Amino acid sequence: MSLTLDSTPRADGFYMPAEFAPHVGTWMLWPQRPDNWRLGAKPAQKAFVAVARAIAQFEPVTMGVNHNQYANARQMLPPEIRVVEISNNDSWMRDCGPTFVINGHGMVRGIDWKFNAWGGLYNGLYFPWDLDDMVPQKVLEIERLDRYQAPLVLEGGSIHVDGEGTCLTTAECLLSPGRNPDLTQEQIENYLKDYLNVEKVIWIPRGVYNDETTGHVDNLACFLRPGEIALTWTDDTADPQYERSAEAYDFLMSQTDARGRRFKVHKIHQPNPVYITAEEAEGVDAVEGTLPRQAGDRLAASYINFYFCNGGAIVPTFDDPHDAQALATLQELLPERKVVGVPAREILLGGGNIHCITQQQPRG
Ligand code: KQY
């Protein structure tokens, strides 16, 4: 049975654990829409398979797939990956999927946020998004987990928690007019406190330059452990990312977390600027209502968009001279895990990266 509850996680003693806490598995969705993924999503499907395989070395993976791609996904994915039919508009499980919460007694529930494709009719990235919006309910039904319905438009990529009372987000994203224009910052913060059960929300001003999510935090910064943050960085003062990363660094250094700790911030140098080629742009169908892809557009490439799984960290690589340093630095910072690089340009071309296409289901 999966009930819809009318209380909040905070009222019931549930909270969102950090991504680096133990998982029972990972959820993903299969890419297919030709107006977002080039060449009918064939290259993206291979990249998603590589990510799923990398995660499956560490924990079980479930792939949700539309009915008309079931046979193809089943055949492309190894047998240890569970494939289930879940209708969806696109494949961003981090953003449209449930946020799982746990209590201290082994129980797990899910938060079903409102999803409007990163900005609804104001500046959303495609229309419609009704199938994506039903993904949390379906995942929770499959797992027989109870569901909280949050009265807030929010994607999972716009929040990170340390599991000890602190939430990281960006003002650029959560205060953007396409999401909750009728709510004040204080009201949004109170919802985050009630649903994630956190004590403190850290509002970093802006996310990554040209990020089509309007500045999701998961591309800019993440917790490595309580009190420690990794931040995407560039030393090139002429790069528009420089002032965003410098602003985030200065801001984070001025803050303390819910337990009063000052943050230790580790800079991870970004890849060289990545642009869509003419060939890549031509491979994407032009559809009114979907964000167009144009040759020369700068993509929001960042190593921070990586995913923690049990004993591992799956990190995007870009065939870039900075790849090796990013992997080595993350490995040094996460000695208890195996850091695995997966080529991710095809995922980046769709507007996100490895963190955006994955969703952890925590162990209760
Ligand atoms: O979380 C993300 N980065 C997803 C972006 C959606 C892109 C749709 N084109």
Side-chain angles (χ1 to χ4, degrees), residues 36 90 92 95 118 125-126 211-213 216 218 293 305 350-353 356:
N36 190 61
D90 202 359
W92 306 97
D95 290 345
W118 307 271
L125 301 178
Y126 51 72
D211 188 327
E212 63 195 60
T213 63
H216 270 186
D218 70 347
R293 300 277 170 217
N305 209 304
N353 224 306
C356 311

Side-chain angles (χ1 to χ4, degrees), residues 206-287:
R206 292 180 291 174
V208 167
Y209 173 70
N210 230 20
D211 188 327
E212 63 195 60
T213 63
T214 37
H216 270 186
V217 74
D218 70 347
N219 216 18
L220 177 87
C222 66
F223 286 109
L224 297 174
R225 55 185 62 82
E228 277 189 57
I229 291 174
L231 172 71
T232 194
W233 188 256
T234 176
D235 293 320
D236 179 1
T237 53
D239 186 323
Q241 183 54 38
Y242 179 82
E243 63 172 57
R244 288 172 170 258
S245 286
E247 171 185 72
Y249 183 82
D250 292 345
F251 178 74
L252 287 168
M253 295 303 281
S254 75
Q255 298 291 305
T256 53
D257 69 11
R259 299 211 179 172
R261 289 172 288 226
R262 292 212 165 275
F263 292 116
K264 192 166 179 189
V265 180
H266 302 277
K267 298 172 177 172
I268 307 290
H269 203 288
Q270 68 178 12
N272 289 331
V274 180
Y275 301 96
I276 306 185
T277 67
E279 189 193 344
E280 287 166 343
E282 277 161 20
V284 181
D285 291 0
V287 167

